[in-house]
Amino acid sequence: MNQTVDQKQIRRVMLGAAFLMATSAIGPGFLTQTTVFTEQLVANFAFVILISILIDIAAQLNIWRIIAVSGKRAQDIANEVLPGLGYVLALLVVMGGLAFNIGNIGGAGLGANVLFGIDPKTGAIISCLLAIGIFIVKEAGRVMDRFTQILGFVMIALTLYVMFTAQPPYGEAALRTVAPLEMDILAIVTLVGGTVGGYITFAGGHRLIDAGIKGKEYLPVVSKSAVTAIGVASLMRVLLFLAVLGVVSQGLKLNPDNPPASVFQLAAGDIGYKIFGVVMWSAAVTSVVGAAYTSVSFIRSFSTWIDRHAKKFIIGFILVSTLVFVIVGQPVKILVLVGSLNGLILPLALGVMLIAAYKARIVGDYKHPMWLTVLGIITVIAMALMGGYSLINGIPQLFK
């Protein structure tokens, strides 16, 4: 299979995987978190972004390289490390993907409401049909790659415009990137979880092996794709941070009901509000696609029947998410619990990958870089502690 992947196709798949992962990260929660943390920490948030980017790269390089070298999906690697563990990982990812997809569909509905004034539920249904349309066509992988790239560029370009209109203090932001006056550990962990946590990091890793990019010979391509993905998501984060910083530096107050929308509106008036609609819709609908594709990729290897009908399962996943949103809305208690469990996926999966990296029956004669192992272990410990903290705090809220 590897021999049939030509250079042009490799580049297309590499970019497609990078943008699928990046746009999966850039969802409604990404926009809100970045806005709220910038309002709290102002220019000091630049340091938080820098540290989180370094952790993101280390985590993603570890996971993508081991997936590529082994030629197996994460759940199959987990089952080889410890029989049954892959099923636990798959269950956590599918539950998390479904719960977050309900929020993503809601975000798409909100974006459509801002743009066209239609009911958010109607907007959610239209967005659902568009997302399903990608997986109906024969070349679904190629269409998905192109779709996420186009909307990724649209989000970045529009946020860049809003950033310029907000006139942020660039010098102060640059200084605080390396010399912060305050630091927030929780913000760092939240950003890492929002970028490579849950199903997100596997979106690109699984896309690469599904397209035949696997084996030691493709490691340079895989590493480049992994870093590009973090680069795209981080560029969007930096542009949004600067836009928010520009607004709050002028002493303007954000609307607590919808902080990101008020940033765009305060920076660029009514046009800015419409731009927010485009960015929110793009962020949400690409996350819908990424969550559905990746969640189903975690159960494909458990049954040849599921594997044969993977597209139908992806469509069903999107339909179920939309139906829950339209009928129930946001099931808050379920989302709180699954959000808490979601924090455990990255340390569990990354821990499994680090063990797998030293098992010859999984990776052959591949030698994993020691610096990646060390950074990976640090990330596993930090994210496990914060994931546990999130779970302990999340469960009591279910009984309030």
Side-chain angles (χ1 to χ4, degrees), residues 242-278:
L242 289 170
V244 180
L245 185 63
V247 169
V248 297
S249 295
Q250 296 170 41
L252 300 170
K253 287 286 176 201
L254 305 185
N255 178 357
D257 293 332
N258 195 344
S262 59
V263 168
F264 282 71
Q265 194 161 21
L266 290 166
D270 290 339
I271 292 173
Y273 187 58
K274 292 296 182 187
I275 287 174
F276 165 74
V278 176

Side-chain angles (χ1 to χ4, degrees), residues 73-92:
R73 296 187 184 97
Q75 70 273 20
D76 300 321
I77 296 171
N79 271 337
E80 287 199 34
V81 168
L82 181 67
L85 189 58
Y87 297 108
V88 174
L89 184 60
L91 179 66
L92 287 172

Side-chain angles (χ1 to χ4, degrees), residues 73-155:
R73 296 187 184 97
Q75 70 273 20
D76 300 321
I77 296 171
N79 271 337
E80 287 199 34
V81 168
L82 181 67
L85 189 58
Y87 297 108
V88 174
L89 184 60
L91 179 66
L92 287 172
V93 168
V94 172
M95 282 170 54
L98 188 60
F100 287 112
N101 234 19
I102 296 165
N104 293 334
I105 281 286
L110 174 63
N113 168 258
V114 170
L115 280 171
F116 307 112
I118 59 176
D119 182 78
K121 289 185 177 180
T122 306
I125 292 167
I126 293 168
S127 304
C128 159
L129 294 174
L130 182 69
I132 284 171
I134 292 170
F135 297 102
I136 289 173
V137 299
K138 190 178 178 186
E139 289 279 347
R142 184 171 292 206
V143 174
M144 179 174 69
D145 291 348
R146 185 62 62 201
F147 181 75
T148 54
Q149 283 173 52
I150 290 168
L151 291 188
F153 280 121
V154 166
M155 285 189 280

